[in-house]
Amino acid sequence: METLNAVKSGTAHIAVSFGNEGYKAAAAWLHGTDPFCPKRHVVALEANAETLAKLQAIIGGAGTGYRLLLAGPAAEVRAARAQALGAGAGADMVVLLPTAEVA
């Protein structure tokens, strides 16, 4: 796993997406960020134990100066947000983008 510790403040973008609509929203968000910033997109079906553990490891290794987008169904986004905040992410660093999933 790459480290984001050396990134200058406010210049790294991490997206975690859940489901197809979450993936599309996160990809669009990342595409709209500075092309010279380090980016990471974690794609998952749901906020299960494995995904949340990966998110915690990413937050733990990210240091400061990043923005975290959580995109997907509201329940998945809420679970990921709770994990991110518990892992040390500041509320001002987390961007929430709940999407409507078509069943």
Side-chain angles (χ1 to χ4, degrees):
M1 175 171 38
E2 70 272 22
T3 180
L4 300 176
N5 285 332
V7 175
K8 293 180 184 173
S9 180
T11 59
H13 297 82
I14 305 165
V16 179
S17 63
F18 303 98
N20 191 44
E21 295 302 313
Y23 174 84
K24 290 180 204 176
W29 183 78
L30 286 170
H31 181 73
T33 62
D34 184 339
F36 299 104
C37 291
K39 296 173 180 35
R40 182 165 188 183
H41 188 175
V42 177
V43 179
L45 293 176
E46 61 185 355
N48 58 23
E50 180 182 347
T51 302
L52 295 178
K54 186 171 190 171
L55 175 60
Q56 182 164 347
I58 290 167
I59 299 298
T64 60
Y66 65 91
R67 297 290 295 191
L68 172 65
L69 173 76
L70 303 171
E76 308 303 326
V77 168
R78 281 192 304 272
R81 179 183 182 274
Q83 185 73 23
L85 295 177
D92 59 331
M93 302 162 92
V94 181
V95 178
L96 305 178
L97 187 54
T99 62
E101 290 290 318
V102 178

